[in-house]
Structure formats: C-alpha cells, structure tokens
Amino acid sequence: GAVVSQHPSRVICKSGTSVKIECRSLDFQATTMFWYRQFPKKSLMLMATSNEGSKATYEQGVEKDKFLINHASLTLSTLTVTSAHPEDSSFYICSATSGSTDTQYFGPGTRLTVL
Amino acid sequence: GDSVTQMEGPVTLSEEAFLTINCTYTATGYPSLFWYVQYPGEGLQLLLKATKADDKGSNKGFEATYRKETTSFHLEKGSVQVSDSAVYFCALSGKGYSTLTFGKGTMLLVSP
C-alpha cells in the first residue's frame, strides 16, 4: 500500500516553455501533498505544501507564480513549471500523506532538463 | 527551529560489514523520526520510523532506536549487502503535523 506515482519520469524542454508534472496517490486519499526539489548530491528542499481544495503554501524563496501547484482531488496534485529556464533543471519529487498519519510517501521523482 | 544532523559520507564498507549511520536531531515537543533510502535516480522510500521515545523501528535488517535522552536515531545494520548501496536520509516530523525536516543524507557504498 501507500504508493505514489509521478509522471513523467523524465522531461526535456526548451527554455521558455511550461512543463506539468503529475503526482498521484494510487491506493490512498492524500489530504496533503508536498513538492520537493533536489539538487545533485543534496538533500531535499521543500518547495510547497498543498491541501486538497485549497491554495498551496509555498516555502520562503519559492516563486509561486513560477511553480504553480494544483491539488484538485484527493489523489492528484500537479506542479507546473512556467517559462522554464536552464536553472530550473532539477529532480522534482512529490510526496503524499493522509490525515491519519505523519508518514510521507514519496513518488519516484521527475528529472527536468531545460535546454 | 527543527534540524537534523547526519554524519557526512560517503560511508564505504565491504559486504557483510556492520553499518552505523549517526543521526541527531533538535526539535521542540515529541517528533516522529524516520529513515528514508534513495536509490540512484529514484525517489525516497520509507525504510523505518519511530514515533516515541525508546521505540525501535526495523525493516529489511535495518534498525534505529528513538533515544530522547541523546536526541539520536542512529541507523544500524548487522551485515550490509551490495544492494544496500544508496543514500540514506534521516528526518523528523515536527512543525505542522506532517512537515518533514531532512538531514543532508549519507551515501553508503558497499563493495563485494
């Protein structure tokens, strides 16, 4: 149980385009989803926390107009990187938790490369 | 605020050696403690957790005991395998019920 999927696993895009990453909880209802960014050989940096049906809460320094997060249902959250630039290239990981536990279950990650 | 400190890696061991990865934390209240493992190119997998003092989390031969008196949650395994090579993250949930604070991660390299 507690499986989280992400799609796509890898994406390459041109500078200036937008990219959408999906995060799905497959076998549980995720009241809260988290989006992280991970730089090479570094720990995870929390970008934002989203609760189903409400606006995401962004961490300090994360541009909410650039990283659009939507949590439209209890099983789906999306991260859209708008007008992507090479410095946005990174490994993006989502996680999900249900209201009954403080354990986060992580997706497999999405490798974004912006040319 | 909350913080997690892990030993710096990489930790290099031969197969069947004993593993310890140290983790200490600073937090208010009574956090839950976690170890996550990340294999190359993948997301994080929950390895084990403990929710209160003196709890021992265990999974796949790995163990960690929640020590409140020393604010530690060291990861141990009696006999590592090559397949254990990965990055290990210690984390706690404190502020906001499910928000995690991660350590920087410790890379483990196991050679045959």
Side-chain angles (χ1 to χ4, degrees):
Chain A
V3 179
V4 176
S5 70
Q6 274 184 249
H7 178 80
S9 57
R10 292 178 180 273
V11 57
I12 300 173
C13 68
K14 293 182 178 180
S15 186
T17 60
S18 294
V19 175
K20 180 184 283 188
I21 302 169
E22 292 185 348
C23 176
R24 294 182 185 272
S25 57
L26 299 184
D27 52 3
F28 67 102
Q29 293 189 325
T31 50
T32 305
M33 286 185 164
F34 303 84
W35 286 95
Y36 295 85
R37 183 172 179 177
Q38 185 178 33
F39 294 97
K41 299 183 179 180
K42 298 289 186 183
S43 188
L44 282 73
M45 180 191 81
L46 178 65
M47 299 174 66
T49 303
S50 73
N51 293 294
E52 184 263 339
S54 59
K55 289 185 177 180
T57 301
Y58 289 80
E59 295 298 301
Q60 193 172 13
V62 178
E63 298 176 61
K64 59 183 178 183
D65 294 332
K66 180 166 189 61
F67 298 100
L68 300 179
I69 291 170
N70 183 274
H71 191 165
S73 77
L74 284 171
T75 59
L76 173 65
S77 177
T78 59
L79 167 68
T80 301
V81 183
T82 62
S83 187
H85 288 92
E87 58 266 29
D88 298 324
S89 298
S90 194
F91 194 53
Y92 292 88
I93 307 176
C94 73
S95 70
T97 185
S98 68
S100 61
T101 176
D102 59 357
T103 301
Q104 289 185 28
Y105 297 95
F106 285 79
T110 297
R111 172 74 59 193
L112 170 63
T113 303
V114 184
L115 303 177
Chain B
D2 296 348
S3 67
V4 175
T5 303
Q6 288 181 238
M7 59 190 293
E8 296 223 4
V11 174
T12 305
L13 295 173
S14 297
E15 203 164 27
E16 298 184 4
F18 185 86
L19 168 71
T20 299
I21 299 178
N22 290 337
C23 171
T24 57
Y25 67 90
T26 303
T28 54
Y30 302 93
S32 293
L33 302 174
F34 305 83
W35 277 101
Y36 284 88
V37 58
Q38 185 178 33
Y39 298 99
E42 298 183 10
L44 274 67
Q45 298 176 25
L46 177 65
L47 183 59
L48 52 86
K49 65 180 281 190
T51 58
K52 60 183 188 297
D54 300 325
D55 265 4
K56 177 186 284 187
S58 62
N59 186 26
K60 299 181 182 179
F62 291 89
E63 293 183 339
T65 301
Y66 190 144
R67 300 287 189 199
K68 188 165 173 58
E69 64 275 15
T70 54
T71 62
S72 65
F73 193 54
H74 304 322
L75 182 68
E76 297 182 337
K77 186 175 185 182
S79 175
V80 293
Q81 305 300 311
V82 173
S83 57
D84 294 327
S85 298
V87 179
Y88 292 81
F89 290 94
C90 184
L92 67 83
S93 72
K95 126 188 123 120
Y97 180 56
S98 55
T99 303
L100 286 176
T101 299
F102 283 94
K104 293 186 176 181
T106 302
M107 178 178 286
L108 170 65
L109 299 171
V110 181
S111 57

